[in-house]
Amino acid sequence: MKTKKVSIVICCFNEEQCIVQTIEAVHGIMVKSDYDFEIICVDDGSDDSTLNMLKNMAKPETNVFYIELSRNFGKDNAMLAGMQYAKGNAVITIDADLQHPPELIPTMLTLWEGGNDVVFAYRENKNHHVNYLGQVSSSLFYKLMNHLSEIELEDGIADYRLIDQKVKDVLCNLYDEHPFFRGLVKWAGFKQQAIPYVPNARVSGQTKYNRRGLLKLAFRGITSFSTKPLYIALYLGFFFAVVALLLVPYIAISYFCGYSVPGWASMMLFTAFFEGLQLCILGIIGLYLGKVFTQVKYRPNYIVRSTNFE
Ligand code: UDP
Ligand code: MG
């Protein structure tokens, strides 16, 4: 008699080339385990045949369920949808492209049984299957993130994790317009255990994130967890205001000695510089204001178009 249930959430966005293989791999591992399970596939607005494949696989005897979102809502929102439907005593989130080795699931389950509420995987051996630019930008992101915010994120932390039901309940009841679960899970606390993994190559298909998308994610990650950039703006503004004050005698002397016209170039330079600085500070303030703006609208994080859940 299997007493505990584990939900596995797989978010899919145009994954027709790998999704069947991934579900089969996860299924193969879970049938051998001591747990009852459900595999919840969230179709995040794919425009290829991913959804049809999911519908074909979603039968009661396979324990596979699908949730079709009305459009692409982004990975974190899709994960939230999957978690909110999950009924398991623990929820595991895993990528659809087999970059997260499913063989790690039994280890996660053992650690969970050992009293951990969160077991998360972080990418070890970063030379594998990630290009150089990807590595540098990713490690820069984590350095910046850790420096600027109160939470500490491991370099290479992935969205591959097991969370206990009680952690899931916390995460599902936060209202965040743009949830960033890698950070939120850390923020939630509880007993956490990190385990390293070596990423596989994406079995097929293409990464869904481009550089611009990653930059957006980085800004979102930082502004979700930290108001320090606002202070940086304040200090910078203060510093340059003092510098500008120091320039006053110079301007006065130039004026009284009739050098004001030759000074024009340097004045222009400074003006341009300060305008730039102001814009930069306004931009930072704008980022936060934008977050308040989108947050107060209280729009749902995702909209479900169809599902085979009752
Ligand atoms: N994904 C998603 N919605 C998106 C983008 C990605 O559900 O808008 C899913 C995608 O199908 C995959 C996982 O998130 O299962 C990770 O995406 P990807 O492999 O493209 O990212 P990378 O591994 O390159 O960070
Ligand atoms: Mg991937």
Side-chain angles (χ1 to χ4, degrees), residues 10-15 19 42-46 69 72-76 78-79 94-100 123 159 182 197 202 206-209 214 217:
I10 311 176
C11 297
C12 326
F13 178 49
N14 294 339
E15 300 286 6
I19 188 61
V42 185
D43 176 61
D44 190 15
S46 302
L69 301 187
N72 180 265
F73 280 91
K75 186 187 183 185
D76 283 273
M79 275 197 288
I94 184 167
D95 276 5
D97 56 7
L98 287 177
Q99 280 192 303
H100 297 160
R123 198 168 62 228
D159 276 316
R182 270 172 270 179
Y197 79 100
R202 208 177 207 290
Q206 287 243 317
T207 175
K208 306 298 178 302
Y209 293 103
L214 281 178
L217 190 75

Side-chain angles (χ1 to χ4, degrees), residues 9-54:
V9 172
I10 311 176
C11 297
C12 326
F13 178 49
N14 294 339
E15 300 286 6
E16 60 181 4
Q17 287 163 320
C18 14
I19 188 61
V20 174
Q21 209 182 331
T22 307
I23 293 176
E24 278 167 359
V26 171
H27 194 273
I29 284 170
M30 289 314 295
V31 280
K32 279 189 246 141
S33 75
D34 300 327
Y35 298 92
D36 198 8
F37 67 94
E38 57 180 358
I39 299 176
I40 304 175
C41 303
V42 185
D43 176 61
D44 190 15
S46 302
D47 46 26
D48 62 0
S49 58
T50 304
L51 181 68
N52 284 333
M53 291 176 159
L54 294 179

Side-chain angles (χ1 to χ4, degrees), residues 69-273:
L69 301 187
S70 63
R71 62 169 170 85
N72 180 265
F73 280 91
K75 186 187 183 185
D76 283 273
N77 286 322
M79 275 197 288
L80 179 68
M83 294 195 310
Q84 287 184 333
Y85 274 82
K87 290 179 206 74
N89 302 92
V91 181
I92 297 176
T93 49
I94 184 167
D95 276 5
D97 56 7
L98 287 177
Q99 280 192 303
H100 297 160
E103 305 80 62
L104 225 59
I105 291 178
T107 319
M108 288 183 161
L109 291 169
T110 313
L111 287 166
W112 173 52
E113 289 292 356
N116 292 293
D117 304 310
V118 175
V119 184
F120 63 88
Y122 65 93
R123 198 168 62 228
E124 203 189 44
N125 194 348
K126 285 171 235 118
N127 302 336
H128 273 67
H129 312 306
V130 186
N131 64 31
Y132 182 71
L133 199 68
Q135 280 175 50
V136 172
S137 54
S138 143
S139 98
L140 202 73
F141 165 64
Y142 290 110
K143 283 216 179 76
L144 201 67
M145 181 86 194
N146 292 340
H147 197 72
L148 289 179
S149 66
E150 275 79 53
I151 52 164
E152 186 85 13
L153 284 189
E154 277 75 8
D155 189 357
I157 189 170
D159 276 316
Y160 184 19
R161 70 180 83 84
L162 176 149
I163 56 173
D164 187 88
Q165 196 172 21
K166 53 181 176 281
V167 183
K168 183 203 78 173
D169 289 342
V170 170
L171 296 178
C172 286
N173 289 315
L174 296 172
Y175 179 77
D176 199 327
E177 168 90 9
H178 297 293
F180 176 67
F181 283 115
R182 270 172 270 179
L184 288 173
V185 168
K186 273 280 159 124
W187 167 87
F190 292 94
K191 280 220 161 318
Q192 307 214 355
Q193 176 68 49
I195 49 172
Y197 79 100
V198 179
N200 297 318
R202 208 177 207 290
V203 268
S204 45
Q206 287 243 317
T207 175
K208 306 298 178 302
Y209 293 103
N210 52 28
R211 295 277 147 246
R212 246 185 79 213
L214 281 178
L215 202 65
K216 207 163 141 190
L217 190 75
F219 277 123
R220 209 171 264 177
I222 290 164
T223 53
S224 297
F225 279 98
S226 165
T227 44
K228 277 191 198 165
L230 285 176
Y231 290 97
I232 296 174
L234 191 71
Y235 293 142
L236 265 178
F238 187 68
F239 173 75
F240 285 111
V242 171
V243 172
L245 268 182
L246 295 179
L247 282 173
V248 170
Y250 167 73
I251 295 165
I253 291 166
S254 307
Y255 178 77
F256 287 118
C257 303
Y259 299 149
S260 59
V261 171
W264 182 80
S266 58
M267 284 310 290
M268 277 309 283
L269 203 77
F270 281 113
T271 311
F273 178 66

